[in-house]
Amino acid sequence: MQDLADGAAPTTVLADAVDLARDAAVEAADGEAAQVGAHLEVVAEDATAATHYFAADKPGYRGWTWAVTVMGTDEVTLGEVALLPGAGAVVAPEWVPWNERVRAEDLAPGDLLPVDEDDERLVPAHASLDDDEPGVEEVRAVADELGFGRPRVMSPEGRFDAAERWTGGDFGPTAEMARAASAHCGTCGFYLSLGGSLRSAFGVCGNGNVPADGHVVHCEYGCGGHSELQVDTGSVVMVAELVYDDGVDMEPASDGNA
């Protein structure tokens, strides 16, 4: 069976090299001819190369195909043999580096989670200074010479990543607790603002009576422990200033001898 690639058909000599391609696939299958199934198609790579595809009847490779590339104009030579996954093939998930697979809840007491030297979330401490600030170059020069401060601080990218994560978390403005609250953390006396560029949007809850205690909360988060909530101790029954007695006066019934 032949197929077209980008509108071009393989040359006859390349298309007819089915046996050569099959032999190469069998050799790649350690000589197990039964592992090379039916010829599926031949696809032109360019004017002098084409790839033959065979079904792979190899145990554990359901849905895979043998791909054998042949080349030439008058005389055909063997190029490359590969086992490729098809549309229904079972393949391993995409590999993800371990430091990207680890989740916050995976870190147990005593575990160490080192960061890469080129972690984009961190920059040298003096590099976080705003270039527009007066005297910033002099400050950086002194910091480098004397080694003051922490070696690295969070970069703008790192701070943005943290802000995005906190905003969408359990103590962000869209949390169920926040949606039901009558007031926001930004107006609460227990709200301890963060420093730096995150100050305008985040703080730490200092109310020991609520679940958010000790957590970073968004200024638009809220709960039932707001400092300005007051319990109304007055009467729950509305009483008018003037009370009118419009009832009927009752008198003893006459016995007829009066």
Side-chain angles (χ1 to χ4, degrees):
M1 178 175 71
Q2 295 187 21
D3 191 19
L4 300 181
D6 297 330
T11 62
T12 302
V13 68
L14 293 174
D16 289 343
V18 177
D19 292 339
L20 175 65
R22 178 180 293 277
D23 291 342
V26 170
E27 183 178 355
D30 296 327
E32 297 289 339
Q35 294 186 6
V36 181
H39 184 253
L40 302 177
E41 62 179 346
V42 56
V43 177
E45 302 296 345
D46 55 35
T48 60
T51 300
H52 290 267
Y53 292 90
F54 301 88
D57 293 334
K58 187 176 178 67
Y61 286 81
R62 184 179 60 186
W64 288 61
T65 58
W66 292 103
V68 183
T69 302
V70 293
M71 303 171 294
T73 52
D74 297 326
E75 182 178 353
V76 180
T77 58
L78 186 64
E80 183 179 30
V81 181
L83 190 60
L84 302 178
V90 177
V91 297
E94 182 180 355
W95 185 82
V96 179
W98 70 268
N99 57 333
E100 296 180 19
R101 295 197 305 267
V102 175
R103 297 170 297 178
E105 57 268 26
D106 294 332
L107 199 64
D111 290 343
L112 300 178
L113 184 61
V115 297
D116 295 332
E117 286 294 328
D118 57 351
D119 193 322
E120 65 175 10
R121 298 173 301 171
L122 297 169
V123 293
H126 62 272
S128 66
L129 297 174
D130 192 339
D131 289 334
D132 295 331
E133 294 180 7
V136 65
E137 292 301 329
E138 290 79 0
V139 172
R140 287 176 175 168
V142 172
D144 281 341
E145 182 177 354
L146 301 181
F148 286 163
R150 293 170 288 168
R152 291 190 291 178
V153 296
M154 292 187 76
S155 64
E157 291 80 5
R159 283 174 287 178
F160 177 80
D161 178 63
E164 188 175 36
R165 188 171 62 254
W166 294 342
T167 298
D170 293 338
F171 302 103
T174 60
E176 183 179 359
M177 183 77 77
R179 294 198 302 269
S182 58
H184 294 147
C185 291
T187 59
C188 181
F190 295 111
Y191 180 76
L192 305 171
S193 298
L194 295 184
S197 60
L198 297 178
R199 178 184 181 88
S200 61
F202 297 99
V204 176
C205 177
N207 186 348
N209 296 327
V210 300
D213 178 45
H215 291 277
V216 174
V217 296
H218 195 280
C219 64
E220 294 184 5
Y221 177 74
C223 69
H226 195 280
S227 62
E228 305 313 309
L229 292 177
Q230 300 294 326
V231 178
D232 186 359
T233 58
S235 173
V236 296
V237 179
M238 298 297 293
V239 180
E241 294 183 4
L242 296 178
V243 178
Y244 296 93
D245 182 5
D246 55 358
V248 179
D249 293 335
M250 305 297 291
E251 296 182 356
S254 173
D255 58 3
N257 298 322

